[in-house]
């Protein structure tokens, strides 16, 4: 999804049956699949498919998981899924919690991710000056990604900033 692969949506649909099910015991592969589905579907703008995994992300965090292996903060993903579902205050609460974890644990690579996804939430919400705020957050995210040497993420943040101006 990050690379714009035209087969990304089909690949996500193919792994959907292996996702974690909220309220059940799930194995690590199911949790990893769920995190990948949240991120990939959000990047592709498939908000309903992303939002469907909110409860599973909250459950994973509730079981004591701070970081989803190499993918980042679980509450970041809960925030993404809540935002995709239009649950704005819930998304903000999840993002705020994740921000506290970034600060408490020095998770510098997660800081630009939070900026990026907060901006995406604002672009989805589109209230008042949300698009202007989103552009500001995306500019900060791009600068932070640049400092971390994450060129692909810089390009994506800059692309989204252009989208925020166009609407």
């Amino acid at each position: 999804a990050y690379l714009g692969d035209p087969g990304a949506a089909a690949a996500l649909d193919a792994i959907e049956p292996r996702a974690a099910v909220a309220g059940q015991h799930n194995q690590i592969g199911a949790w990893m699949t769920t995190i990948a589905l949240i991120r990939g579907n959000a990047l592709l703008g498939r908000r309903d498919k992303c939002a469907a995994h909110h409860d599973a992300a909250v459950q994973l965090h509730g079981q004591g998981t701070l970081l989803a292996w190499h993918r980042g903060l679980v509450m970041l993903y809960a925030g993404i899924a809540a935002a995709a579902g239009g649950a704005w205050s819930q998304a903000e609460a999840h993002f705020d919690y994740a921000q506290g974890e970034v600060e408490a644990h020095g998770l510098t690579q997660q800081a630009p991710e939070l900026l990026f996804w907060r901006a995406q939430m604002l672009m989805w919400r589109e209230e008042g000056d949300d698009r202007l705020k989103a552009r500001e957050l995306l500019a900060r995210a791009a600068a932070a990604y640049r400092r971390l040497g994450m060129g692909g993420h810089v390009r994506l943040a800059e692309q989204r900033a252009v989208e925020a101006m166009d609407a």
Side-chain angles (χ1 to χ4, degrees):
Y2 266 112
L3 300 175
D5 183 335
L12 291 170
D13 290 344
I15 65 170
E16 180 74 35
R18 297 192 305 239
V21 177
Q24 294 183 11
H25 173 78
N26 296 282
Q27 298 202 5
I28 191 168
W31 291 118
M32 292 179 72
T33 299
T34 297
I35 297 301
L37 287 166
I38 290 171
R39 178 183 220 108
N41 283 315
L43 285 167
L44 295 176
R46 296 171 13 141
R47 291 176 57 186
D48 57 334
K49 291 183 175 286
C50 174
H53 298 286
H54 174 260
D55 292 344
V58 170
Q59 178 182 337
L60 179 60
H61 180 264
Q63 293 172 340
T65 305
L66 174 65
L67 293 166
W69 306 276
H70 65 286
R71 301 208 186 267
L73 289 162
V74 172
M75 287 308 281
L76 169 66
Y77 289 98
I80 296 167
W88 313 125
S89 61
Q90 198 170 30
E92 285 283 357
H94 293 328
F95 289 147
D96 288 346
Y97 186 93
Q99 183 65 45
E101 295 298 320
V102 165
E103 293 166 4
H105 301 291
L107 302 171
T108 56
Q109 286 189 325
Q110 290 296 288
E113 286 287 280
L114 274 163
L115 293 168
F116 178 90
W117 289 107
R118 281 184 190 270
Q120 182 62 72
M121 181 198 73
L122 294 171
M123 290 172 64
W124 284 335
R125 187 173 70 183
E126 292 191 274
E127 291 179 1
D129 61 352
D130 279 352
R131 290 233 169 220
L132 176 61
K133 290 177 186 174
R135 285 196 323 255
E136 293 167 3
L137 291 174
L138 288 164
R140 290 174 47 204
Y145 286 137
R146 194 171 285 109
R147 285 190 300 275
L148 293 169
M150 299 172 74
H153 287 71
V154 171
R155 286 187 294 281
L156 182 59
E158 290 173 344
Q159 174 189 352
R160 291 287 162 94
V162 169
E163 292 170 13
M165 290 188 300
D166 290 341

